[in-house]
Amino acid sequence: NWEYWPFQVLYFPIYFLWAYYAVKARSLFFFNASNPKIKNGGFMMESKKQIYDLLPIKHYPKTIIIRENSDFKEILNLVQENEINFPLIAKPDIGLRGSGVKKIKSISELAAYAGKANFDFLLQDLISFEKEVGIFYVRRPFQKNGKITGIVSKEFLTVTGDGKSTIEDLIKENPRFELQMDALKKEYGKQLQQILPQDETLNLVPFGNHARGAKFLDGSEWITPELTET
């Protein structure tokens, strides 16, 4: 189950590579140059809101930032003023591997989330598209055009009903999904004991995050000159 090994263990070999590049570049934080307008080059502890503010508004969902310990009435007012509708997405402004990301379906769920959040968080319109990919684009300094170095497609934690098995049973049929069982029980509770109708699908974790159960697949065959130009 290497996918869920501790962060420090999984990335241990990278520390040696980090040291090599740090010596070569004469900078411990050489990677800051990769995204110079983003804190730490986007490596860690960067604010999602600050990144959104660098982008044209039309390219991301309506987003508001909620400061820690904000009054809940003020939060509701901000949601209404910005016309963000339920269900919506809540996530930490400074996150780590998908922790704290949640689909919020009602005011009561939002109140519960805000009550537990000991961090600044974002509220966003839910993007209803079924597919999600990560596109890695690189343009070196002084180059006019860059290139796409890779595309990662994401397979969500989704089960398909057979008309007789409970949702929990369907999860257990997939070894990768079963590793998420504790988190899913906490999220869904008794709902996992429901029987899913024949051929009906249920996306249990609607976020393309590896640590939350999404499977990452190579989608490099989708790289085209047209996509690179876009």
Side-chain angles (χ1 to χ4, degrees):
N1 302 329
W2 65 268
E3 289 183 88
Y4 300 102
W5 287 358
F7 187 88
Q8 295 85 349
V9 174
L10 190 62
Y11 289 95
F12 182 73
I14 301 299
Y15 301 150
F16 298 99
L17 192 62
W18 184 343
Y20 169 74
Y21 281 129
V23 172
K24 186 177 180 181
R26 300 180 184 178
S27 170
L28 187 60
F29 300 104
F30 59 89
F31 46 80
N32 285 359
S34 62
N35 297 297
K37 285 195 173 184
I38 299 176
K39 182 179 179 180
N40 299 324
F43 181 69
M44 62 186 300
M45 301 303 294
E46 72 279 8
S47 162
K48 295 183 179 71
K49 184 62 169 62
Q50 289 180 6
I51 295 174
Y52 286 130
D53 289 343
L54 297 172
L55 302 172
I57 293 177
K58 65 180 180 179
H59 291 313
Y60 63 91
K62 284 181 287 188
T63 302
I64 56 175
I65 186 165
I66 306 298
R67 300 300 179 184
E68 183 181 351
N69 298 323
S70 291
D71 181 78
F72 188 63
K73 288 184 178 179
E74 293 180 6
I75 295 175
L76 282 182
N77 287 337
L78 284 172
V79 170
Q80 293 172 356
E81 289 172 6
N82 288 273
E83 298 181 343
I84 297 177
N85 301 311
F86 293 98
L88 51 81
I89 290 291
K91 59 186 178 184
D93 183 42
I94 298 175
L96 179 64
R97 305 176 75 197
S99 59
V101 180
K102 185 175 176 61
K103 183 178 179 180
I104 305 291
K105 306 183 189 68
S106 64
I107 292 177
S108 60
E109 287 189 10
L110 179 57
Y113 186 94
K116 293 179 181 179
N118 56 352
F119 45 77
D120 295 347
F121 60 93
L122 304 181
L123 297 178
Q124 287 185 321
D125 268 341
L126 174 68
I127 299 176
S128 58
F129 298 148
E130 294 182 2
K131 305 293 184 181
E132 181 176 332
V133 297
I135 301 178
F136 296 85
Y137 176 86
V138 173
R139 181 175 58 80
R140 296 183 181 279
F142 313 114
Q143 284 184 337
K144 182 178 180 180
N145 301 308
K147 66 177 182 179
I148 297 174
T149 59
I151 296 179
V152 173
S153 65
K154 303 178 182 183
E155 188 178 278
F156 296 112
L157 202 162
T158 302
V159 294
T160 303
D162 58 11
K164 54 185 178 182
S165 301
T166 65
I167 296 172
E168 182 174 343
D169 290 336
L170 295 171
I171 294 169
K172 290 179 178 178
E173 290 178 3
N174 188 313
R176 288 189 73 259
F177 292 0
E178 192 170 11
L179 293 172
Q180 295 284 336
M181 186 62 79
D182 290 343
L184 292 172
K185 284 183 176 179
K186 186 176 180 180
E187 173 76 16
Y188 288 96
K190 294 180 180 180
Q191 188 178 341
L192 295 184
Q193 303 309 313
Q194 295 178 4
I195 295 176
L196 201 60
Q198 180 76 34
D199 298 326
E200 182 175 318
T201 60
L202 176 63
N203 186 345
L204 292 162
V205 184
F207 331 112
N209 186 278
H210 179 262
R212 299 286 294 274
K215 186 176 183 179
F216 283 20
L217 302 169
D218 183 12
S220 296
E221 70 274 11
W222 299 328
I223 298 175
T224 64
E226 292 81 9
L227 182 60
T228 303
E229 179 63 24
T230 300

